[in-house]
Amino acid sequence: MPITALYAGLLAPLFIFLSMRVIRRRRGAKVAVGDGGDMALLRRMRVHANFAEYVPFALLLMALAENLGTWPWLLHLLGLVLLAGRVAHAYGVSQPKETFAFRIGGMMATFAMIGAAAAACFFGAVANIMAH
């Protein structure tokens, strides 16, 4: 599944970057567990957690769709939408004065990608079942 692997490889550095931002803020705020009431740490934690909540499932759907023979152009579109959505969401939520347009746009892109990938899986599975 080279197309899914490509986007997983592009998203992994973003996950590491978001993780490192949490670690740096934890050290600076001297908070080992939780957010310690530090709003900047809480924002960084939520950006990181939101990424961890959505991206694995989105990539799983993308991998299943690729395995079912979904068109490469559609897989690339799904991957680009997911990547753009995650970057937009991370940027929007990371701002001290939150940029809601980026947050909302990022989540809409993520939901659209998950919905389209789920549809590709469904229709690909049905076509595969009907062929056998």
Side-chain angles (χ1 to χ4, degrees):
M1 293 175 272
I3 298 172
T4 301
L6 172 67
Y7 291 98
L10 290 171
L11 287 157
L14 179 55
F15 183 75
I16 292 168
F17 171 75
L18 296 174
S19 301
M20 296 305 297
R21 289 181 68 235
V22 172
I23 292 166
R24 275 193 306 265
R25 186 65 190 181
R26 278 191 185 288
R27 286 183 181 161
K30 295 183 177 30
V31 175
V33 177
D35 60 43
D38 184 303
M39 286 307 295
L41 176 56
L42 178 59
R43 279 197 174 280
R44 290 179 185 196
M45 289 170 59
R46 280 309 311 146
V47 169
H48 176 259
N50 190 276
F51 187 100
E53 292 160 359
Y54 286 99
V55 171
F57 184 61
L59 287 172
L60 173 62
L61 287 170
M62 190 172 167
L64 292 168
E66 185 169 359
N67 190 55
L68 288 165
T70 298
W71 298 308
W73 68 264
L74 180 55
L75 293 166
H76 282 292
L77 180 61
L78 292 172
L80 289 170
V81 168
L82 179 61
L83 182 61
R86 295 291 76 207
V87 168
H89 180 269
Y91 174 78
V93 178
S94 293
Q95 302 308 304
K97 286 192 168 212
E98 189 169 328
T99 309
F100 285 104
F102 283 97
R103 180 182 190 170
I104 293 166
M107 286 310 304
M108 288 175 57
T110 301
F111 289 150
M113 181 279 178
I114 289 172
C121 287
F122 176 80
F123 291 112
V126 169
N128 191 289
I129 291 166
M130 298 300 283
H132 289 89

